[in-house]
Amino acid sequence: MQPRFAANIVWFDENALKPGRSYLLRTETDQVGATVTDLKYRVNVNNFAQEAAKSLEMNEVGVCNLATQPPIAFDAFAENRTTGAFILIDPDTNNTVAGGMITGRRSELGGIHKDDQRVLLSLP
């Protein structure tokens, strides 16, 4: 089982975000392998509507779930901007491809817990 969390992201790269691809996730305290497990939706920046999407193009905003290996310590961005923010790096080019804000921990039952103060995800 991989630790999972939900996040808002802004895609920076010319190559589209495709769920399932491996990236490096860098936070204030960690750098670990990560995968966007699924893209929930794209946010239309003109009217803030949620639009179905299978990928994100350059400068698009989306809401997604990510999984990391190994576990990381983090806070929700709303609680702590320093430990709730991250960037995604393409491991092949070393380019920063996205910036993000963690919105909550993803539970095994599929819900998102936004009220966690400090979360340390660990493998059994």
Side-chain angles (χ1 to χ4, degrees):
M1 169 181 64
Q2 294 178 320
R4 297 174 188 268
F5 60 89
N8 299 329
I9 63 169
V10 178
W11 194 252
F12 302 146
D13 201 50
E14 292 176 356
N15 298 313
L17 166 99
K18 294 200 170 118
R21 186 160 185 268
S22 295
Y23 298 97
L24 295 174
L25 182 137
R26 184 176 294 165
T27 66
E28 182 73 18
T29 59
D30 295 296
Q31 179 172 305
V32 298
T35 303
V36 175
T37 57
D38 75 294
L39 180 60
K40 303 305 268 177
Y41 54 87
R42 173 180 44 237
V43 177
N44 182 317
V45 296
N46 296 314
N47 60 16
F48 302 107
Q50 298 175 6
E51 302 173 345
K54 294 188 190 258
S55 66
L56 288 181
E57 300 294 330
M58 183 185 280
N59 296 327
E60 289 187 323
V61 177
V63 174
C64 65
N65 294 324
L66 291 104
T68 65
Q69 187 68 348
I72 63 168
F74 65 87
D75 292 300
F77 186 81
E79 299 296 324
N80 187 320
R81 290 179 180 215
T82 302
T83 56
F86 64 91
I87 60 171
L88 290 179
I89 300 167
D90 182 321
D92 297 330
T93 64
N94 208 33
N95 290 337
T96 300
V97 296
M101 301 176 293
I102 298 169
T103 57
R105 178 176 52 89
R106 187 111 176 112
S107 80
E108 294 307 307
L109 300 175
I112 297 174
H113 301 275
K114 295 180 183 175
D115 57 345
D116 293 327
Q117 291 296 318
R118 181 101 177 132
V119 180
L120 176 61
L121 298 174
S122 60
L123 297 173

